[in-house]
Amino acid sequence: MIIILPRSPSTLLTFATFFTLPLSLPPSGMESSGGNMSELDPEPSIDPSTPRRVRAFAGTTVFMPCIVNNLGQRSVSWVRHHDIHVLTVGRFTFTSDGRFEAHHDDGSNEWLLRLRSPAAGDSGTYECQINTKPTISHLTTLQVLEPHAVITAGRELFLDTGSTLRLTCKVRDAPGPADHLLWYHEKKEAKKGTEEVEVNVWEEKHATISSLTQRDAQVHDSGLYTCSPSNAKPASIMVHVLSGEQSAAMQTSAASRCILCRAPRTPTHACPTPLSCLLVVLASFLLGGRLPMFVLLLLPVVILGASMQLVS
C-alpha cells in the first residue's frame, strides 16, 4: 500500500509519528490481572542474520531485508539516511517515489524495503527501526553497480603507420553477459571478419570481453573507436596512426626534452657560489667569530645572490 504524503513538513511529521509511536497500552484484561506485558512477551530484536551490505545492479529490483524476532504489537520502519526520509512504516509506504515499496508476507519475520530500477544515486545507508523505547535499529549499506565498458589501453593511443592496432574491451559490474557487443570507428560499425579488421567476443568469469585487431593500420584509420555492449555504458578511445614524418618528429621532440632535462649546468664563474659563501658566514657567526666590517657590508649582496641561485 502506497500513501502519498502531504507537502507540509509539520503535517508529514505528525502523520509519520502516528505510525511510529510505541504502542504502550497493554491488551484488555491486563490491568485486572495485575500482569505486566513485558514479563509475558519477549522484547523484539533484529536478527543477526540481517545483512549489513546489499549489492544491486542498476535497472534491476533490489530487496533490503530486515529480519525481526518477537515483533508483537510493534511496527517496523525504513528510513533513508542521507535526507532522514521515512520511506515505510509497517506495510505503508511514505514517499512519492514510486520505486520504493514496503513488502511483508503474513507469518514472515522479514520486513522488506523493495526498490525498483535503482541508480547509482540510490547508494547509501538505509535504517530499519523498531518503535521501541529506546529505538532498536539496524543499518544497511546499499551499493548500486552500474554496468560499464572499459578499454584497457586507456583513452588515447599512438602507433606508427603499418603497425597492428589491438584494442581490448571488458564489461564490468554487469549482472550477466552481454547479448551482443559492437565496435564503432567514428560512428561507423567496424565489421568483423573483413580483410583488415578482426573482432572477437568471448565470456570470462561471467563477464563479456571483446578484442578488435586492425592489421596494417594507416593514417585514415585514426579516430574515435567505441566499444558498445548491449548491457552497459560504452567506452571510447582516440587512436592516432602517425605517418613516418610525424613519428620522427615526436621522437626528436622527446629526445630533445630528455637532453635538456639531463644536461648538467655549467658554472659561470670559478669562485665559490653565493650559497656556499652564505653558509660560511653563518657558520662563523654561530661559532662566535667576529665578522670584519667589509664582510658585514657584503652580506646583503651574498644573501641576494644566494636567493637568486635558489630560485633558478
Side-chain angles (χ1 to χ4, degrees), residues 43-154:
E43 287 294 322
S45 63
I46 297 178
D47 197 272
S49 62
T50 301
R52 293 193 176 274
R53 300 186 66 87
V54 174
R55 298 177 66 185
F57 295 101
T60 60
T61 298
V62 58
F63 291 88
M64 286 176 276
C66 185
I67 305 173
V68 179
N69 299 321
N70 309 314
L71 181 61
Q73 300 300 315
R74 308 291 182 179
S75 63
V76 176
S77 305
W78 276 100
V79 179
R80 185 171 54 200
H81 252 223
H82 77 84
D83 56 356
I84 317 299
H85 188 95
V86 179
L87 299 173
T88 67
V89 177
R91 300 190 184 193
F92 298 95
T93 301
F94 288 89
T95 177
S96 58
D97 189 342
R99 300 177 304 141
F100 290 95
E101 186 178 358
H103 183 80
H104 174 71
D105 293 328
D106 292 335
S108 171
N109 63 344
E110 284 190 334
W111 296 84
L112 304 173
L113 177 63
R114 177 166 58 189
L115 173 57
R116 297 184 180 91
S117 299
D122 295 312
S123 298
T125 303
Y126 294 78
E127 182 175 353
C128 167
Q129 296 181 350
I130 304 176
N131 63 334
T132 55
K133 288 188 176 180
T135 302
I136 299 175
S137 63
H138 176 89
L139 301 180
T140 298
T141 301
L142 173 65
Q143 181 185 14
V144 180
L145 303 176
E146 289 191 327
H148 61 283
V150 175
I151 297 178
T152 57

Side-chain angles (χ1 to χ4, degrees), residues 120-309:
D122 295 312
S123 298
T125 303
Y126 294 78
E127 182 175 353
C128 167
Q129 296 181 350
I130 304 176
N131 63 334
T132 55
K133 288 188 176 180
T135 302
I136 299 175
S137 63
H138 176 89
L139 301 180
T140 298
T141 301
L142 173 65
Q143 181 185 14
V144 180
L145 303 176
E146 289 191 327
H148 61 283
V150 175
I151 297 178
T152 57
R155 295 185 177 181
E156 201 167 18
L157 180 65
F158 295 85
L159 67 156
D160 295 329
T161 301
S163 302
T164 298
L165 170 63
R166 293 185 178 89
L167 299 176
T168 301
C169 176
K170 297 182 179 181
V171 181
R172 295 179 177 173
D173 297 336
D179 294 333
H180 61 268
L181 188 151
L182 301 177
W183 284 92
Y184 293 91
H185 175 215
E186 295 292 347
K187 299 183 180 181
K188 182 180 179 181
E189 183 179 352
K191 299 291 185 180
K192 62 181 179 180
T194 61
E195 184 177 352
E196 297 86 6
V197 180
E198 179 182 351
V199 175
N200 294 307
V201 182
W202 68 93
E203 295 178 14
E204 184 177 305
K205 296 180 180 180
H206 306 288
T208 303
I209 302 177
S210 178
S211 65
L212 180 144
T213 304
Q214 171 84 45
R215 291 180 290 273
D216 191 23
Q218 300 299 316
V219 175
H220 64 264
D221 294 317
S222 301
L224 189 69
Y225 284 78
T226 301
C227 165
S228 180
S230 60
N231 62 342
K233 291 183 177 180
S236 299
I237 182 174
M238 182 61 71
V239 175
H240 304 272
V241 182
L242 305 177
S243 63
E245 295 80 4
Q246 292 174 320
S247 178
M250 290 188 63
Q251 293 177 3
T252 302
S253 176
S256 300
R257 289 194 300 268
C258 182
I259 292 174
L260 290 175
C261 291
R262 296 183 179 180
R265 295 183 179 180
T266 57
T268 57
H269 48 77
C271 63
T273 64
L275 180 60
S276 61
C277 292
L278 177 61
L279 294 176
V280 171
V281 172
L282 292 177
S284 176
F285 179 76
L286 292 176
L287 293 175
R290 293 184 178 181
L291 299 178
M293 182 60 66
F294 75 92
V295 174
L296 294 176
L297 294 175
L298 291 176
L299 186 58
V301 179
V302 174
I303 295 176
L304 179 61
S307 301
M308 294 178 63
Q309 182 182 10

